[in-house]
Amino acid sequence: MAIVDDDYCFRYIDVGACGMASDGSVFRNCSIYNKLENNLLPNGGVIVANGAFLLKPYMMKPYPGDNLTLVQKVFNYRLSRTRRIVENAFGILVSRFRIFQKPIATDVNTVDKIVLAACALHNWLRKEKRNNYITHCDIDREDTEARNIIHGTWRTETTGLENLCRQGSNHPSISAVQKRETI
């Protein structure tokens, strides 16, 4: 479980969950969960998530379904643009630290340390080697005139990431639904 900022840096990392656990279950067992439930974020702040997570006042996810209003479609589009940052951060991490492209042959505690160290190095390289570590071509970007996505080079440099499918539905609180409507 990780939270990524708008500069492709990992701001929160929790490693060690069972790979078969759902995203929602992993999140509820993270150390940050109770803090977020108790207003960790500044007033109006939100975390952007995918459809596997529960909609919360502090966590925005897309509107489900196909029969959406224009406003809901625009919201989903803008949310997906923001979520692309997270996807790019993980993709760049895997393409730069190729140890993640195959099973890591060591004990679980060492794997946890490798993940934490790689994320810390990723963040350091992002801040200290800003234009060399991640270039404009490395990240996904949008060609607004042609209305298409130009994939970042990390997508061709790695085969280590797989797409996740939708894991089912859940029921958000009324306040979370109202906040998404406001946003």
Side-chain angles (χ1 to χ4, degrees), residues 18-86:
C18 175
M20 297 299 290
S22 71
D23 290 347
S25 173
V26 170
F27 176 61
R28 281 187 301 277
N29 290 310
C30 285
S31 61
I32 201 168
Y33 176 77
N34 285 330
K35 293 173 185 169
L36 287 167
E37 287 286 307
N38 290 303
N39 302 316
L40 172 69
L41 297 177
N43 192 20
V46 295
I47 293 172
V48 175
N50 64 24
F53 289 87
L54 182 62
L55 179 67
K56 298 270 195 174
Y58 59 81
M59 185 174 291
M60 289 296 107
K61 69 180 224 173
Y63 286 98
D66 297 324
N67 191 19
L68 303 175
T69 67
L70 178 60
V71 170
Q72 291 170 331
K73 288 177 184 178
V74 169
F75 176 87
N76 282 359
Y77 166 75
R78 291 180 176 163
L79 196 74
S80 73
R81 287 181 67 189
T82 304
R83 284 188 12 239
R84 200 177 311 142
I85 294 170
V86 177

Side-chain angles (χ1 to χ4, degrees), residues 38-148:
N38 290 303
N39 302 316
L40 172 69
L41 297 177
N43 192 20
V46 295
I47 293 172
V48 175
N50 64 24
F53 289 87
L54 182 62
L55 179 67
K56 298 270 195 174
Y58 59 81
M59 185 174 291
M60 289 296 107
K61 69 180 224 173
Y63 286 98
D66 297 324
N67 191 19
L68 303 175
T69 67
L70 178 60
V71 170
Q72 291 170 331
K73 288 177 184 178
V74 169
F75 176 87
N76 282 359
Y77 166 75
R78 291 180 176 163
L79 196 74
S80 73
R81 287 181 67 189
T82 304
R83 284 188 12 239
R84 200 177 311 142
I85 294 170
V86 177
E87 186 176 342
N88 278 277
F90 275 104
I92 290 165
L93 180 76
V94 170
S95 71
R96 300 301 191 268
F97 297 90
R98 296 181 186 262
I99 192 168
F100 298 125
Q101 292 183 9
K102 60 184 186 237
I104 303 171
T106 189
D107 66 276
V108 173
N109 290 331
T110 303
V111 172
D112 291 353
K113 291 174 185 173
I114 290 169
V115 171
L116 292 170
C119 290
L121 285 169
H122 167 90
N123 287 354
W124 182 82
L125 289 165
R126 177 68 184 137
K127 297 295 184 188
E128 295 300 318
K129 307 292 182 189
R130 182 159 206 79
N131 296 323
N132 295 332
Y133 178 64
I134 300 176
T135 68
H136 176 72
C137 294
D138 290 329
I139 58 174
D140 294 346
R141 54 205 182 282
E142 191 168 352
D143 180 349
T144 53
E145 290 181 21
R147 295 184 179 183
N148 64 7

